[in-house]
Amino acid sequence: MAEQSMADPPEPRQRHTDTLKNRRREQLIKSTITSIAKRGFADTTLANVAEGVGLSRGIVNFHFTNKETLLNDTLQYLADEYRHVWRHALDRAGPTVAERLYALVMADFDPVVYNRKKIAVWFAFYGESKSRPTYLALCEQRDEQHYIALRDLCRQLLDESGRMTVDADLIATAISAIIDGLWLDRLLTPNKMSTKRAKETALGYLDTVFSGHFTLHTDATDTRHV
Amino acid sequence: MAEQSMADPPEPRQRHTDTLKNRRREQLIKSTITSIAKRGFADTTLANVAEGVGLSRGIVNFHFTNKETLLNDTLQYLADEYRHVWRHALDRAGPTVAERLYALVMADFDPVVYNRKKIAVWFAFYGESKSRPTYLALCEQRDEQHYIALRDLCRQLLDESGRMTVDADLIATAISAIIDGLWLDRLLTPNKMSTKRAKETALGYLDTVFSGHFTLHTDATDTRHV
Amino acid sequence: MAEQSMADPPEPRQRHTDTLKNRRREQLIKSTITSIAKRGFADTTLANVAEGVGLSRGIVNFHFTNKETLLNDTLQYLADEYRHVWRHALDRAGPTVAERLYALVMADFDPVVYNRKKIAVWFAFYGESKSRPTYLALCEQRDEQHYIALRDLCRQLLDESGRMTVDADLIATAISAIIDGLWLDRLLTPNKMSTKRAKETALGYLDTVFSGHFTLHTDATDTRHV
Amino acid sequence: MAEQSMADPPEPRQRHTDTLKNRRREQLIKSTITSIAKRGFADTTLANVAEGVGLSRGIVNFHFTNKETLLNDTLQYLADEYRHVWRHALDRAGPTVAERLYALVMADFDPVVYNRKKIAVWFAFYGESKSRPTYLALCEQRDEQHYIALRDLCRQLLDESGRMTVDADLIATAISAIIDGLWLDRLLTPNKMSTKRAKETALGYLDTVFSGHFTLHTDATDTRHV
DNA sequence: AATGAATGAGAATTCATTCAT
DNA sequence: AATGAATGAATTCTCATTCAT
């Protein structure tokens, strides 16, 4: 009774060669994500994970030596996936700074990452991160890279409009915080927070700061209730 | 060798009579908070909690029947404490709507609640909330009440300035999200986010929306590195 | 179906206070000895040990934290017991050096220590000692103390008879080696080596070296076939 | 990264034809010996053994069906090697009985067998022998054959010197025991027992019993610290 | 012959919970 | 109220063994 994921990530980074062994590893990681989302971090056992891919109990220790290793690799996988999504969004974005900023912020509401299952897992790792240095480092790093991209775009946009004196860091921090907060809303009150509403909230802020530039494009798909 | 908390909360609501039994319960809850912050949710055992108050192993089952009950009561305790802080802030706030809004937002950065230990525990519960309905309900409810207070003040402020058409919910949601996001920053990157900076970020948003009303009062104590 | 020991050792050293907890510890150590003798070192499980005292599976971890600790403590227990036997024998020995030497050597054939069960356990530890420094240290130390007592008596006896030039160390080493070898015989070929024969062999050597002093006293009890 | 032995034994008996398959078997047996010496009996796994010859995990089951079979064959290999050494020594010995006895006893200190690694493995098997009849039989038999050779030579030497009434069995038993005891010393206190000293101790006994016949020949190589 | 992925039984260990004192 | 010994279910981990390639 293999429980399996939803939106499969677009192969986060072209990792390793595509051996059978690596396929299994990925299967197990996905099963781990599914289990954490469903049962929580504390109640996720290796037996659950193995059952999720329809294999025997010992399988995880065979591919990951440790439970801890599996968990680390799972977080790494999520971080890779997340990075891939926003970088890809930037790659496809229009040429102007405003377009790029728009794309970057909207990427955080891409259904691949912005869905209750994935968000639940992220917050599960956040919840353990204070007591686990490895998690903390991975989470920190995920944020850091995204933040830099965000701040640089804000700075450019401010420069363009001649507002060099405004603190780009403050704005980027605020945007980042809003997004994180909206993710948390999706986790805690999924019924009250549609994807559309979340995007509007984030864009509402952008539009307030960079007046007139940002309103929601209407092609947005709403994946509420996931 | 009782490990014990920092800023003890101002007796969240005067509930129960102050029996010996209730003192013990509170000791145990505080020890639970300390343990979750230190060891994480998954590694917090009843033995840890008991050791934290210097009592014997079986003590928790005596006062809380269940581990689950202890955990629920701990979350309830945190929620009470949080509610107490912002309500108390409103009670002491000046008469104007702007003052009240300022006080409400600043309450979220009161050292009683805005410190890395407490935040870690909140996020530990968030992390488990998807799979545990009781936690979800408690977390939802905490947010709900705070959100309503926040939105009503926003609405009043908009009304005062004749901007009735603006969506108060959108603004309240954004403020709420920013605050949550700033809490997460405090958890993940405590060294990069001072209390002062966090307040500035939140107020920065308010000031953008309600222009000119909000700047940081200079009595702010900075408790960075907690 | 508690499997239990034979000749209970005469309380090796007046250890700790005689709490209930210490009684359990000793029970478990004895059960460990029994199990190693019966099943061998490699096949001795904590479940076996627990079953040996009629308690539940988790009991060993409760009293010894570790399997390794249990094993170390078991070896220590055996070493204490062994030391106690030969020291006690010396205490009761007659006043002459020859009498003392006789007593010391005969102590190694005291049924408390010289029986196939105990010997099997000693050799089980010897067998693991190369790869386990703790065992090695404990075994070495056991030998060392006994050896010194033995050599000093040999030296005194040589001095008494004016043979100062003879190498007492060589003789003591030989006696020690003979005894160890006889223990091994008891393990490997119990049917061919009665206690009486073993004693005769050891005394035969003593008598050859210190001519005329040593023949077997006839009160020896033979515990062959144990 | 094949861990491999030291003094390779002089092909114990010319058994089996020298097929590739038999080479593999011997490689695996040697790897087993190395592993037991290094990690102990209990911690020697088939994976270790396979790794020792640089082959894959499943290899042992291919050549030995069983772990038990591998272990039995390993003990048999050691026994063959041991027998080969002392028989070869007898073959090369001088014509007199004393010379032959000297050669037989000295064979037990031949570096091929008298080194800490091999001794550790012997004692590992001794340690398990009480609970494993196959090991017991093999160990017993090894001793038996050697013992008979030893006793016969003792008897002849006694006959030669007209001491027919002396118990040759007692003397042979004592010599055997001394040798075993000296092996144990080498295992437990390798730094205190040089090969030379061990030989002196054994010969010291022979010389005491068969006065004047036995002193150490000076060509002895000392392999202390092995 | 050899590989190495997969199995699954069994081991140690952890820990919430019970209960006699 | 509190203790702490004991329980036993659950979990991680190990490893001999199997088997398709």
Side-chain angles (χ1 to χ4, degrees):
Chain A
M1 56 135 144
E3 20 172 294
Q4 212 35 264
S5 69
M6 58 172 52
D8 281 1
E11 284 307 309
R13 232 198 289 177
Q14 187 56 38
R15 27 172 96 231
H16 329 297
T17 20
D18 222 11
T19 61
L20 202 67
K21 186 146 192 170
N22 283 328
R23 286 206 179 290
R24 273 280 182 267
R25 286 176 53 88
E26 194 171 334
Q27 278 186 299
L28 289 166
I29 285 174
K30 284 182 181 172
S31 176
T32 304
I33 291 172
T34 305
S35 176
I36 293 176
K38 191 209 246 173
R39 270 175 286 257
F41 201 91
D43 291 337
T44 287
T45 70
L46 295 187
N48 292 334
V49 172
E51 196 191 18
V53 294
L55 293 176
S56 68
R57 274 193 157 63
I59 197 65
V60 175
N61 288 106
F62 185 74
H63 287 281
F64 291 87
T65 60
N66 252 355
K67 187 183 187 182
E68 186 55 25
T69 304
L70 170 65
L71 258 12
N72 288 337
D73 287 4
T74 299
L75 180 49
Q76 183 67 64
Y77 178 91
L78 282 177
D80 286 346
E81 181 186 72
Y82 176 74
R83 195 181 312 114
H84 182 270
V85 165
W86 65 259
R87 286 196 174 153
H88 189 60
L90 279 185
D91 289 347
R92 291 185 310 181
T96 71
V97 173
E99 280 169 324
R100 293 176 61 76
L101 180 54
Y102 181 89
L104 180 58
V105 171
M106 285 304 97
D108 276 325
F109 302 99
D110 184 309
V112 170
V113 294
Y114 184 74
N115 62 72
R116 204 171 168 232
K117 176 178 158 184
K118 290 277 173 61
I119 290 172
V121 180
W122 271 112
F123 277 84
F125 280 107
Y126 291 156
E128 288 289 306
S129 67
K130 175 151 188 286
S131 50
R132 308 211 197 181
T134 315
Y135 296 176
L136 191 60
L138 244 24
C139 292
E140 227 180 308
Q141 172 190 338
R142 174 208 122 128
D143 267 16
E144 178 71 3
Q145 299 173 346
H146 184 263
Y147 174 79
I148 288 170
L150 186 63
R151 187 205 49 201
D152 290 348
L153 287 172
C154 288
R155 187 167 289 160
Q156 289 170 41
L157 202 53
L158 289 169
D159 288 355
E160 281 182 5
S161 52
R163 299 161 65 203
M164 284 80 168
T165 58
V166 178
D167 186 346
D169 271 292
L170 202 69
I171 292 170
T173 300
I175 298 175
S176 245
I178 282 189
I179 293 168
D180 289 338
L182 290 170
W183 277 38
L184 180 57
D185 283 344
R186 179 70 158 212
L187 174 64
L188 298 182
T189 55
N191 298 328
K192 292 184 191 151
M193 181 55 65
S194 68
T195 300
K196 185 169 171 243
R197 184 71 177 162
K199 286 177 177 175
E200 281 173 0
T201 307
L203 291 175
Y205 175 72
L206 283 186
D207 204 53
T208 307
V209 178
F210 306 107
S211 13
H213 279 286
F214 299 93
T215 42
L216 184 56
H217 300 177
T218 48
D219 59 324
T221 40
D222 188 340
T223 57
R224 195 186 335 195
H225 296 304
V226 174
Chain B
M1 52 144 147
E3 20 173 295
Q4 211 39 262
S5 69
M6 57 171 55
D8 282 0
E11 284 308 309
R13 236 195 288 174
Q14 191 51 40
R15 26 159 102 207
H16 333 292
T17 20
D18 221 11
T19 61
L20 204 64
K21 182 145 193 169
N22 283 329
R23 287 208 175 287
R24 271 286 133 84
R25 285 177 52 89
E26 193 172 334
Q27 278 186 301
L28 288 167
I29 285 174
K30 284 183 181 170
S31 177
T32 304
I33 291 172
T34 303
S35 176
I36 293 177
K38 191 209 229 166
R39 270 175 286 258
F41 200 90
D43 291 337
T44 287
T45 70
L46 294 188
N48 293 334
V49 172
E51 195 193 18
V53 295
L55 293 177
S56 69
R57 272 187 155 68
I59 195 67
V60 175
N61 286 103
F62 186 75
H63 287 280
F64 291 87
T65 60
N66 249 354
K67 187 185 186 181
E68 189 53 28
T69 305
L70 170 64
L71 258 10
N72 288 337
D73 287 4
T74 298
L75 180 50
Q76 184 67 64
Y77 177 91
L78 281 177
D80 287 347
E81 179 186 73
Y82 176 73
R83 193 182 312 112
H84 181 271
V85 165
W86 64 259
R87 286 196 174 153
H88 189 61
L90 279 184
D91 289 347
R92 291 185 309 179
T96 73
V97 175
E99 279 169 326
R100 292 177 62 75
L101 180 55
Y102 181 90
L104 180 58
V105 171
M106 285 304 96
D108 276 325
F109 303 99
D110 184 310
V112 171
V113 293
Y114 183 73
N115 62 71
R116 202 166 169 234
K117 176 178 161 182
K118 291 277 172 62
I119 291 172
V121 180
W122 271 112
F123 277 84
F125 280 107
Y126 291 156
E128 289 290 306
S129 67
K130 176 152 187 289
S131 49
R132 310 211 194 181
T134 317
Y135 297 175
L136 192 60
L138 244 24
C139 291
E140 229 180 306
Q141 172 191 337
R142 173 209 121 130
D143 265 15
E144 180 70 4
Q145 299 172 346
H146 184 264
Y147 174 78
I148 289 170
L150 186 63
R151 188 204 50 201
D152 290 349
L153 287 172
C154 287
R155 186 167 287 159
Q156 289 169 41
L157 202 53
L158 289 169
D159 287 355
E160 281 184 4
S161 50
R163 300 161 65 204
M164 285 80 169
T165 58
V166 178
D167 185 345
D169 271 292
L170 201 70
I171 291 170
T173 301
I175 297 175
S176 243
I178 281 189
I179 291 168
D180 289 337
L182 289 170
W183 278 38
L184 180 57
D185 283 343
R186 179 69 159 211
L187 174 63
L188 298 182
T189 54
N191 298 327
K192 291 184 189 150
M193 181 56 66
S194 67
T195 300
K196 182 167 173 247
R197 184 71 176 165
K199 288 178 175 173
E200 281 172 359
T201 307
L203 292 175
Y205 175 71
L206 285 186
D207 203 54
T208 306
V209 179
F210 307 107
S211 13
H213 279 286
F214 299 92
T215 41
L216 181 57
H217 299 178
T218 48
D219 59 324
T221 40
D222 186 341
T223 57
R224 194 185 334 195
H225 296 301
V226 174
Chain C
M1 57 135 143
E3 21 174 293
Q4 212 34 267
S5 68
M6 57 173 50
D8 281 2
E11 284 307 308
R13 235 198 286 176
Q14 187 57 38
R15 29 171 94 230
H16 331 294
T17 21
D18 223 10
T19 61
L20 201 66
K21 186 148 192 169
N22 284 328
R23 286 206 178 290
R24 273 279 182 267
R25 285 177 53 89
E26 194 170 334
Q27 277 186 298
L28 288 166
I29 286 174
K30 284 181 182 173
S31 177
T32 304
I33 291 172
T34 304
S35 176
I36 293 176
K38 191 210 245 175
R39 270 176 286 257
F41 200 91
D43 291 337
T44 287
T45 69
L46 295 186
N48 292 334
V49 172
E51 196 192 19
V53 294
L55 293 176
S56 68
R57 273 193 158 63
I59 196 66
V60 174
N61 287 106
F62 184 75
H63 287 281
F64 291 89
T65 61
N66 252 356
K67 186 182 187 183
E68 188 54 26
T69 304
L70 169 65
L71 258 11
N72 286 339
D73 287 5
T74 300
L75 180 50
Q76 184 66 63
Y77 178 91
L78 282 177
D80 285 347
E81 179 187 73
Y82 176 75
R83 193 180 315 112
H84 181 272
V85 165
W86 64 259
R87 286 196 175 153
H88 188 61
L90 279 185
D91 289 346
R92 289 185 311 180
T96 72
V97 174
E99 279 169 325
R100 292 176 62 76
L101 180 55
Y102 181 90
L104 180 59
V105 170
M106 285 303 98
D108 276 325
F109 301 99
D110 184 310
V112 170
V113 292
Y114 183 74
N115 61 72
R116 203 169 167 233
K117 176 179 159 181
K118 291 278 174 61
I119 290 172
V121 180
W122 272 111
F123 276 85
F125 280 108
Y126 291 156
E128 288 288 306
S129 67
K130 175 149 185 289
S131 48
R132 309 211 196 181
T134 316
Y135 297 176
L136 191 60
L138 244 24
C139 291
E140 227 181 307
Q141 173 191 337
R142 174 209 121 130
D143 266 17
E144 178 71 2
Q145 300 172 345
H146 184 263
Y147 173 78
I148 289 170
L150 185 64
R151 187 205 50 201
D152 290 348
L153 288 172
C154 288
R155 187 168 285 160
Q156 289 170 40
L157 202 55
L158 289 170
D159 288 354
E160 280 183 4
S161 52
R163 298 162 65 203
M164 284 80 167
T165 58
V166 178
D167 185 346
D169 271 293
L170 201 72
I171 292 171
T173 300
I175 297 175
S176 245
I178 281 188
I179 292 168
D180 289 337
L182 290 169
W183 277 39
L184 180 56
D185 283 345
R186 179 69 159 212
L187 174 64
L188 298 182
T189 55
N191 298 328
K192 292 184 187 147
M193 180 56 65
S194 67
T195 299
K196 185 168 171 242
R197 185 69 176 164
K199 288 178 174 173
E200 281 171 0
T201 307
L203 291 174
Y205 174 71
L206 283 186
D207 204 54
T208 307
V209 179
F210 306 107
S211 11
H213 278 287
F214 298 94
T215 42
L216 183 58
H217 301 177
T218 49
D219 59 326
T221 40
D222 188 342
T223 57
R224 197 186 332 197
H225 296 302
V226 174
Chain D
M1 51 142 146
E3 20 172 292
Q4 212 36 264
S5 68
M6 56 171 54
D8 282 359
E11 285 308 308
R13 236 196 286 174
Q14 190 52 40
R15 27 159 99 210
H16 333 292
T17 20
D18 222 10
T19 61
L20 204 65
K21 183 145 192 169
N22 282 328
R23 286 207 177 290
R24 271 285 134 82
R25 285 177 54 88
E26 192 171 335
Q27 279 186 299
L28 288 165
I29 286 174
K30 284 182 181 172
S31 177
T32 305
I33 291 171
T34 303
S35 177
I36 294 175
K38 191 206 227 164
R39 270 174 285 257
F41 201 90
D43 291 337
T44 288
T45 69
L46 293 188
N48 293 335
V49 172
E51 195 193 17
V53 295
L55 293 177
S56 69
R57 273 186 154 69
I59 195 67
V60 175
N61 286 103
F62 186 75
H63 288 280
F64 290 88
T65 61
N66 248 354
K67 188 184 187 183
E68 188 53 28
T69 305
L70 170 65
L71 257 11
N72 287 338
D73 288 4
T74 299
L75 181 50
Q76 185 66 64
Y77 177 91
L78 282 176
D80 286 347
E81 180 186 73
Y82 176 74
R83 195 182 312 110
H84 181 270
V85 165
W86 64 259
R87 285 195 175 153
H88 189 61
L90 279 185
D91 290 346
R92 289 186 311 180
T96 71
V97 174
E99 280 169 325
R100 291 176 63 74
L101 181 54
Y102 180 90
L104 180 58
V105 171
M106 285 304 97
D108 277 324
F109 302 99
D110 185 309
V112 170
V113 294
Y114 183 74
N115 62 72
R116 201 166 169 235
K117 176 178 160 181
K118 291 278 173 61
I119 291 172
V121 180
W122 271 112
F123 277 84
F125 279 106
Y126 291 156
E128 288 290 305
S129 67
K130 176 151 186 289
S131 50
R132 309 211 194 181
T134 317
Y135 297 175
L136 192 59
L138 243 25
C139 291
E140 229 180 306
Q141 172 191 335
R142 173 208 122 131
D143 265 18
E144 177 72 3
Q145 299 172 346
H146 184 264
Y147 174 78
I148 290 170
L150 185 63
R151 188 204 50 202
D152 290 349
L153 286 173
C154 288
R155 188 167 286 159
Q156 288 170 41
L157 201 54
L158 289 169
D159 287 357
E160 279 183 7
S161 52
R163 299 160 65 203
M164 284 78 166
T165 57
V166 178
D167 186 345
D169 270 293
L170 202 70
I171 292 169
T173 299
I175 297 175
S176 243
I178 281 187
I179 292 168
D180 288 338
L182 289 170
W183 277 38
L184 180 57
D185 283 345
R186 179 70 159 210
L187 174 63
L188 298 182
T189 55
N191 297 327
K192 290 183 189 152
M193 180 56 65
S194 68
T195 301
K196 184 168 172 244
R197 184 68 176 166
K199 288 177 173 173
E200 281 173 359
T201 308
L203 291 175
Y205 175 72
L206 285 186
D207 204 54
T208 308
V209 179
F210 306 107
S211 13
H213 279 286
F214 298 93
T215 42
L216 182 57
H217 299 178
T218 48
D219 59 326
T221 40
D222 187 341
T223 57
R224 195 188 331 195
H225 296 301
V226 174

